[in-house]
Structures are given as C-alpha cells and as structure tokens.
C-alpha cells in the first residue's frame, strides 16, 4: 500500500463558530419562487432588509412575493401593539396579493423582544381568513439553508392527514421533502417511476393548497442534507416513517438514494448500475480535470458532506470539510457513504470541522495550498488574489445539482476555476497582492 | 411596523463599517448574530477587494442571550489584537445590540486593558440613524479620539504647513465613484498649487490623524460624510472648510473660488491666476461647456428629466441639468430625509417640484406620473425606468457592481463634467433612438403587423376608445394602439370600441 498514513475513520472537530454564512432568512429567496401562491413576510429590522435586498440582487426588482415588516423603535419599546400592527400589514398583503398562505419569518429581533408570533398567528389567521405559518429562521440559532428547514418543519403541521379518497391511501406512499426547482423534482419523480415507485407528493408542493397528505402510512425521504428538523417533525408529529439515505447529489448519491428507497418498498431496481455508469462515462472530460486535485470546504451551507463525498468519488482529495452544523443522525447514511467512498478509493479521510473558524481556516489554507477552496463570497476574491482558486459555495445552493441529470452541473461549477486557469496559466499573474 | 420592500440607505452599522474598513490597519468587530457580516461580501464583491475585509463578528447566539456577551466580546477583541496588530479596533453595535442593552462601553474598557491597539465603541444607534449618518458620526468620533489623545500626550502640533495644503475628508469604501473622484480632486488641488495633507478615511492611517490640523483647510466633497468632522475641526482648531461639491462646471468654479478665498485669508500674497485657470478649464479642457453649446445639446432643450439620489448627487445633478444644459427638471428628490431642508434650499428654482422620501414606490409613482424623457437616479430608478421604458443614468448610491467601473470615471472636477455630459447625452439619445424605433415598427417586432404604419390604418376608433387611448402614458401608447389594431384585424373588427380595447388587452395580457 502506497498510502500508509490513511486515517481509517472520520475525525470530527468543532471550532469557534466564527465563520461567514448567509442569514437563514435568505430562504425566502427560493421558497417564494417555489411555492407560487405564498407570501413571505420577514418580521425584522433594516439589517435583515438590507441583507435580503443585497443578497437577492436583481430579483428584488421583479415585485417579489416577499416583504419586510420593518420594526421601528415604538415596536421595540412595546408602545405599539404587535398584533394590531401585524394585522394591518397582513390585511394590506391580502388586499394587494391575495396569497394562499402568509409565512411569517421570525428574526433575531422578534426572538430577543420575545414577540409571540406562534401565539398571534392562529388568532390573526382566524380573523383574516388566510393561513399564517410561522418559521423562526434567525441568525441566533441557524445558518443559511437551515432557514428552509424551519419553514418546512412549520409547514408539516399544515399538511392534510388524509385525502378525500381515503381507502385508496391504505397502502404506504412516498413523500419527498426539500424544495427543488420544479424540473429537478420532476426528474427525481421519473427516476423513481422507472424503479416502479410512485411519488405521492412533495413538501413543499408547488402551491400551498396542494400540500401532501402526511400520516403514519407515509414514508418520507429527504433530498437535502440540511432538513433535519423537518425530518424530526415528520416523524414525531405525523408519525411518518423516515427513510435514511445518502442524498441524491452526484450519480453515486442518486443511485444510493434510489436503492435505499427501493429497498424500503421491497422493489428490485433494474438497470440502476448501468445508468450510474453511463453518467460517469459522460463526465469523463470533467473528471480528467479534477482527478488528483485537492479541495478545501470552508463550510457555510450544509451541502458540504454530500459534495465532498461526490468529489472524492471523482478522484479529488478533500482536506477539510467545514460545515455549520452536523446532525449525525440525519446525515448518518451520508457520513457512512463518505467513509466507504474514501476506503474504496484509498484516500485519507477528510477532517470534518463543525462551526469552523474562518480565520484559522485561512491559515490552514495557506499551509495546505489546496487546488480549490470552496468558500463564501467574503473570502473568494482575497484568496484568489493570493493565488488560491476558489468557487463560491452559494452557487451550489442555487444551481441544479440533484439527480443523475444534473451531476454535470456540479462539475461544471467545480471545474470552472480550473478551466479558467488553463486559459490563463501561462501569464504568470497568480499572486496579485504585494507581499 | 412598516411594510418595506427596498431601502435606499442601509442600517447604521454599515456606515460604521464602511468608515472603519476604509482606514488602513483598523479592524471592526461587530456585535451581531451569525449572518450579519454580509458587509464583507459587499465589499469583496463590489469593490473587488483583494484583501480580506477587516471586519469580524463577535457572534450573538443563544448562549450569549443566556449569559451575556461580555466574555466573548472581550475575548474577540484581544484575539484580534494579537492576530492582526491593528492600530484601532472599533466595536460596532447592530440592531441586535441596540435591544440587548448590554454595557458595551464597559466591555471596551475591559478589552483595552489587555490590548495593544486602541479600542473604541462606535457611538451609533440603529433605531436613530441610517448608514450615512452613522458614517459621518463614526468618522468624527475616530478623528476626535485621536486628536484628544494626541493633545493629552502633548503630541499635537498645530503649526500650518509652509505651502497651502488641504485635507480631503469623506472619501470611503463603497462610496459612489469615490476612488475616481479622489484622484480628480487631487489633480484639481495640485493644479491650484495646493498640497494634500491627509485624505480620510480611505487609505488613511489613524496614526496620521494628529497631523490634520497642519492643513490650511478641509475640503468636504460630499454632503453626507465628513461635515461633522469638518465642523469639529473648525470649532476645535479654527480650521476653515469648503463644502461645495465640485460637480458640474459652475459648482467646480464655486468650489475653487471658495478655496482661493480661504487661502488668501491666510496668505494674502498667494497669487494664483485662478480666473484664467477656471476660464481655460471651463472652455477648453472640459468639453462640457462646448457640449452645451453644440447642436446635440440643443436638441435636449426643455426635455423633461427626473432626478433622485443622495443629497449631494441629486442637488448637483439638478443644477447641472437645469443651469448648464437647459433641461427641464420636473422633479428633484432625495432619500436623505435628515437633510431635507438643505436639499430644498439648494434645488429651489432649478426644478418644478421636490420629493423627499425613502419609499421607492412614491418615487415610481412620481416618475410614472411625470413621464420624463430620462431619469437620473439610483439603481432603483434604473429598474423603475426599465419597467416604464424610460432610460436612466445612475448618479448615486445605492449601486450595483457595474457602478464600480475599472476605468477612470470621476463625477467631480473638470474630468467629471465630461463624464456627466456623456452620461446625460447617452441617456437621452438612447431614449430618442428607442422612441424612433418604436414609431417605425420597433426593433424586436417578431411578425409584421401591417404593411403600413399604424397611423394611417383603416380602423375607426370610437370617441371613447380614442380618449382612453389618450390617457395611456405616451411611451406605451403606440404599443397599445398597435396591439389593439392587430387584435381587431385578427377578429375582423372594423370599429374599435372600449370593449375591443379591453378584449385586446386581455388577449395579450398587456
Ligand atoms: S442575523 Fe438576525 S438580525 Fe441579522 S439579518 Fe438575520 S435575522 Fe436579521
């Protein structure tokens, strides 16, 4: 064996939590687009508004179905009545947009002043006759994509327990959870259909009024690694049966995900191995670029474990997987898969760093000089100026990366800086800061 | 509570961070929840900064809520002190710290005992001031801190430089074309035989603040940031300041005249032939004066424009359009509500109406009502313009990445006047071109609607329909007319009534 220093198990560290990530309220950006009849009201301050306006960029000019309920000084000092204020704003929203649901996003400020959103919502809902869902997606408790987790877990409560045609529902059905662009959801539906499994619904659905039926006969399976609260709520509140699988990211992940579901439903999938191989075959040009290259995940969106696992399978060496928060139970199958993949390819296990410290990470990056750092936009340009190739992590959240069909898109992102290098490499301008 | 979709000026802490990160070797630590360090993204992306933004957060989380943040804040400050050796650390409160009501000053006092660097608490309140006010305040606070410190240590030398000299105050990061303006101002002052003493805060060092009083005067190019500092320096050190924004030919001239007056006050023998300097620059170096005489600009005479932006740029632009180009400014407005009186006074006589608001829907309604031929505003107005098919030149923050050009694009000084002429001319000609294309069939028409122009079409319009058509804003009227007639043609309708118009509208959803 050439590699005697291989660590055989994954190591887990935890640092200071001083890292850069998006505030979880950013989930409104993709959720309002996904749930077409919704309206998201973020109850917070100018700080929250400023973040959304800048992070959402041009989307903001397209009359989005979201708004800030901006808290002003009298709201903070309780001179104004929260309930009356929210009622005024919600009536206006109802009048202007007539949504099927208003989602209240609680923020740091509503937490600190202990605004009782959960208490007020049912009353106001009854009064204005529009459902109000409350999600506390604040920066005190969560990071970036976890915002979606809080919204979906609040939506679980709103799903019907039985359909109109109840008898037909006796046999077990499958509901997938996680917000994906509609065409990606359709692709996954089709992959399952090929295996002979019918998806009976998605959480979230494209319209709020079409939320799926959830009860003890329903199997649920997640499509994204940051949905641990939603999973817990599905099991505890709706007695759904959770299928724990790796996530359908990369052809390897997709096959493992499908196989696990098939296994639960007692179906023998046909042709999956061939399908996976076919996809790998089609990725060869990109894989040639990444093979043997090293990568460092600074960590900010919780997709890191799955992406790292896929990249190891592509022949990359992963030095570090930073991750905001790791639910070892919800990600158990994925962690296991990562470990197996490393064994199979005979590469050393990456170090997993929960709540990373960006300052320390930059020191480690300087030492390790990885071929690629996957990082937030705050660090990307400064690292590039120091000759480190970077890929902005946020793009992985907005690109289509699930299923067999989209594996190429992941590599498209990962190889972009490497391909740029091929074009520019002989110019000798890699170090662009004065030392 | 206020229903808000968009804001012109950011929260207070952004202002403090902009000032802090403009200085060299100053580090800001935000007292904030995870996710509020979005400033770093903006600076790194918009300014394309090569260096790490010297801003970190002392994270407020559940643990902090339960136990208080003293320990963590102090630890973060002393850690940063060791890691980066900054000259100054500024603890920056956010909306979250405003309501937690912890004694941040006390943490600062504690931390400064163990730190080599100076430590101060930015004196800004989220609920009272916005980004711009906060930056003005923070800059003054830092300047005051270092001058008082120097005084205490007896290191203050208030002797003036031998030759006339100036401080330029208010150039900072993420400011609209600030870097370019700064270069242009330096050139202007050099032309006048004035040396630059200090530039603050961009690229400045806090250790040099004690040299500020050596300058003969302070130049404050922007209304929003620097005035507080200038006033402090005036009261404390009797330093005069010039706060005329040298934007446009006339205001540049005013600015120069004020500077000359200030200098002659110190040194009556200063004999710079500024009359001929101004004359040469105006008539021959800058192209703007010639441009306003040229027949191109003649075509703009009396055209309607709307101006909106921060106080500095909206005022200057309004004056330029109406005084220097003969364009009719139908409405001039600003989102700097805190400076409304000054704004009104400045634009008085140069526009038909004034709008002071930070609500972009009011701005949009105003624009839709006035239907100007061009808009000069922020990125928001650019998008409003897009929707209404009116061209827009961006003249003020808030801005996008395309407003941080790599090429030299000052708005101030004589080169600035050239840039502004281009901007104005391009906005209007674009509008004209579009309009002409529209009249002659449109450039993106996919199918031929009719062989002849719709003006001599063979449709009969009922009087009601015709008056409804007149009510439709001019820039879409032609389109609506064509769509209606196309619909009528398809339906074999000869007379166009109100019903037909509405049916056509429903059919195309426009
Ligand atoms: S971290 Fe808190 S205060 Fe900041 S944007 Fe997010 S919810 Fe708002």
């Amino acid at each position: 064996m050439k590699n005697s220093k291989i660590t055989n198990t994954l190591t887990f560290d935890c640092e200071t939590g001083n890292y850069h990530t998006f505030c979880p309220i950013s989930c409104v950006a993709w959720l309002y687009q996904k749930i077409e009849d919704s309206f998201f009201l973020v109850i917070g301050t100018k700080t929250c508004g400023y973040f959304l306006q800048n992070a959402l960029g041009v989307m903001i000019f397209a009359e989005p179905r979201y708004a800030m309920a901006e808290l002003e000084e009298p709201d903070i000092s309780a001179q104004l009545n929260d309930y009356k204020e929210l009622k005024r704003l919600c009536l206006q929203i109802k009048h202007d947009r007539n949504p099927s649901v208003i989602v209240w996003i609680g923020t740091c400020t509503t937490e600190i002043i202990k605004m009782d959103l959960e208490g007020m919502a049912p009353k106001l809902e009854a009064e204005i006759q529009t459902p109000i869902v409350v999600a506390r997606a604040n920066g005190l408790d969560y990071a970036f994509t976890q915002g979606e987790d809080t919204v979906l877990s609040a939506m679980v409560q709103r799903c019907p327990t039985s359909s109109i045609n109840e008898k037909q529902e006796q046999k077990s059905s499958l509901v997938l959870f996680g917000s994906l662009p509609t065409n990606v959801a359709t692709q996954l539906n089709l992959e399952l259909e090929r295996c002979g499994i019918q998806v009976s619904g998605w959480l979230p659905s494209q319209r709020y009024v079409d939320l799926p039926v959830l009860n003890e006969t329903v199997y649920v399976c997640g499509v994204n690694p940051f949905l641990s609260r939603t999973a817990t709520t599905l099991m505890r509140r709706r007695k759904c049966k959770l299928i724990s699988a790796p996530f359908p990211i990369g052809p390897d992940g997709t096959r493992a995900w499908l196989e696990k579901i098939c296994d639960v439903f007692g179906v023998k999938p046909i042709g999956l191995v061939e399908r996976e191989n076919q996809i790998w075959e089609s990725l060869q040009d990109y894989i040639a670029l990444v093979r043997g290259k090293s990568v460092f995940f600074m960590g900010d969106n919780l997709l890191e474990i799955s992406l790292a696992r896929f990249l190891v399978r592509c022949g990359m060496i992963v030095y570090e997987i930073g991750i905001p928060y790791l639910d070892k139970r919800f990600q158990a199958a994925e962690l296991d898969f990562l470990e197996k993949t490393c064994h199979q390819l005979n590469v050393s296990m990456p170090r997993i760093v929960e709540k990373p410290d960006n300052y320390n990470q930059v020191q480690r990056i300087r030492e390790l000089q990885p071929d690629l750092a996957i990082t937030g936009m705050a660090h990307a340009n400064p690292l590039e100026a120091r000759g480190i190739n970077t890929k902005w992590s946020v793009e992985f959240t907005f690109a289509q990366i699930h299923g067999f069909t989209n594996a190429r898109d992941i590599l498209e992102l990962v190889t972009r800086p490497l391909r740029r290098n091929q074009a520019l490499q002989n110019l000798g301008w890699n170090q662009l800061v004065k030392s | 509570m206020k229903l808000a979709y968009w804001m012109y000026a950011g929260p207070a802490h952004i202002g403090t961070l902009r000032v802090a990160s403009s200085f060299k070797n100053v580090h800001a630590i935000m007292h904030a929840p995870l996710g509020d360090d979005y400033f770093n993204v903006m600076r790194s992306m918009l300014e394309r900064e090569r260096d790490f933004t010297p801003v970190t957060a002392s994270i407020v989380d559940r643990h902090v809520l339960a136990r208080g943040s003293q320990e963590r804040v102090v630890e973060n400050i002393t850690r940063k002190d060791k890691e980066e050796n900054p000259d100054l650390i500024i603890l920056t409160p956010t909306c979250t710290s405003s309501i937690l009501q912890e004694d941040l000053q006390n943490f600062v006092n504690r931390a400064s005992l163990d730190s080599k660097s100076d430590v101060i608490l930015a004196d800004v309140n989220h609920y009272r001031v916005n980004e711009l006010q906060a930056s003005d305040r923070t800059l003054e606070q830092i300047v005051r801190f270092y001058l008082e410190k120097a005084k205490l240590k007896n290191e203050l030398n208030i002797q003036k430089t031998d030759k006339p000299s100036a401080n330029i105050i208010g150039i900072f990061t993420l400011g609209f074309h600030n870097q370019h303006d700064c270069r242009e101002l330096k050139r202007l002052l050099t032309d006048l035989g004035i040396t630059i003493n200090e530039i603050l805060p961009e690229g400045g060092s806090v250790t040099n603040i004690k040299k500020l009083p050596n300058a003969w005067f302070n130049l404050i190019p922007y209304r929003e940031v620097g005035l507080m500092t200038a006033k402090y320096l005036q009261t404390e050190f009797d330093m005069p300041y010039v706060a005329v924004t040298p934007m446009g030919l006339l205001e540049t001239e005013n600015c120069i005249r004020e500077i000359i007056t200030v200098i002659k006050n110190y040194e009556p023998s200063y004999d710079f032939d500024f009359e001929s300097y101004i004359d040469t620059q105006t008539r021959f170096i800058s192209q703007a004066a010639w441009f306003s005489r040229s027949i191109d600009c003649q075509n703009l005479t009396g055209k309607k424009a709307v101006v909106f932006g921060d106080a500095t740029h909206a005022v200057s632009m309004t004056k330029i359009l109406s005084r220097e180009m003969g364009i009719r400014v139908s409405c001039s407005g600003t989102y700097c509500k805190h400076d409304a009186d000054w704004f009104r006074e400045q634009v008085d006589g140069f526009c038909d109406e004034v709008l002071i608001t930070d609500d972009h829907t009011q701005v949009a309604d105003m624009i839709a009502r006035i239907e100007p031929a061009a808009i000069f505003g922020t990125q928001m107005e650019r998008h409003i313009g897009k929707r209404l098919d009116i061209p827009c030149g961006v003249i003020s923050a808030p801005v996008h990445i395309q407003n941080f050009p790599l090429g030299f694009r000052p708005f101030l000084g004589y080169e600035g006047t050239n840039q502004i002429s281009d901007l104005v001319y391009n906005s209007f000609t674009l509008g004209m071109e579009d309009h002409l294309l529209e009249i002659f069939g449109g450039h993106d028409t996919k199918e031929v609607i009719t062989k002849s122009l719709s003006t001599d079409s063979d449709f009969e319009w009922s009087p009601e329909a015709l008056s409804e058509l007149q009510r439709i804003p001019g820039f879409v009227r032609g389109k609506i007319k064509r769509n209606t007639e196309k619909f009528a043609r398809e339906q074999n309708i000869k007379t166009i009534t109100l019903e037909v118009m509405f049916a056509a509208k429903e059919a195309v959803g426009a």
Side-chain angles (χ1 to χ4, degrees), chain B residues 8-9 18 130 132 172 174-178 181 221-225 245 247 307-318 332-339 342-343 347 355-357 376-379 381 394-399 411:
Chain B
Y8 284 100
R18 283 176 63 188
N130 69 20
L132 297 171
F172 71 149
L174 292 173
F176 184 74
H177 292 244
N178 275 16
D181 285 348
Y222 311 111
R223 177 80 187 162
E224 286 75 18
V225 187
T245 303
M247 184 166 152
V307 179
F308 196 83
D310 63 18
T312 301
H313 291 89
V315 161
S316 306
M317 205 58 202
T318 304
S332 172
T334 185
Y335 55 85
C336 295
K337 282 159 83 179
H338 60 278
D339 214 7
W342 180 81
F343 186 86
V347 298
L355 178 65
I356 311 279
T357 181
F376 297 94
T378 71
Q379 277 294 334
E381 283 67 49
V394 175
I395 53 140
S396 157
V399 284
F411 270 66

Side-chain angles (χ1 to χ4, degrees), chain A residues 23-25 45 47-48 51 107-109 137-139, chain B residues 33-36 95-96:
Chain A
C23 169
I25 60 173
T45 62
T47 306
C48 315
F51 162 68
T107 62
C108 299
T109 308
N138 60 68
Chain B
L34 187 70
D36 279 357
C95 59
T96 305

Side-chain angles (χ1 to χ4, degrees), chain A residues 70 73 111 141 357 386, chain B residues 2 51 62 79 128:
Chain A
E70 191 184 315
E73 202 159 17
E111 286 296 311
D141 299 303
D357 184 292
R386 284 158 185 77
Chain B
K2 184 168 95 181
D51 278 317
R62 284 283 154 196
R79 175 181 164 187
R128 305 277 161 86

Side-chain angles (χ1 to χ4, degrees), chain B residues 195-254:
Chain B
T195 54
I196 313 287
N197 188 53
E198 288 294 323
I199 297 173
L200 284 189
E202 185 64 49
S205 158
V206 288
T207 50
N208 284 351
I209 286 178
K210 59 172 182 280
K211 295 191 195 150
L212 284 179
N214 303 138
W216 290 25
F217 73 102
N218 294 312
L219 178 61
I220 314 299
Y222 311 111
R223 177 80 187 162
E224 286 75 18
V225 187
L227 263 189
M228 276 181 86
T229 308
K231 286 181 183 156
Y232 162 75
L233 291 169
Q234 186 184 44
T235 343
E236 248 356 83
F237 301 96
D238 208 17
M239 285 183 83
Y241 65 87
V242 173
V244 177
T245 303
M247 184 166 152
L249 289 170
L250 293 174
E251 290 300 292
T252 303
E253 179 177 339
N254 279 342

Side-chain angles (χ1 to χ4, degrees), chain A residues 179-238:
Chain A
S179 164
L180 293 181
T182 306
N183 61 325
V184 180
T186 313
Q187 284 159 9
L188 290 182
N189 283 348
L190 284 175
E191 297 293 353
L192 281 160
E193 231 166 77
R194 269 188 213 166
C195 300
I197 294 168
Q198 205 66 38
V199 177
S200 67
W202 280 79
L203 173 72
S205 45
Q206 202 158 333
R207 297 172 56 79
Y208 175 78
V209 290
D210 298 333
L211 281 177
V213 171
L214 292 176
N215 55 37
E216 63 279 359
T217 66
V218 174
Y219 279 97
V220 289
C221 189
V223 297
N224 267 323
F226 44 77
L227 298 170
S228 61
R229 273 170 69 91
T230 309
T232 313
T233 316
L234 285 164
M235 290 190 293
R236 298 228 177 108
R237 298 298 185 90
R238 288 308 179 88

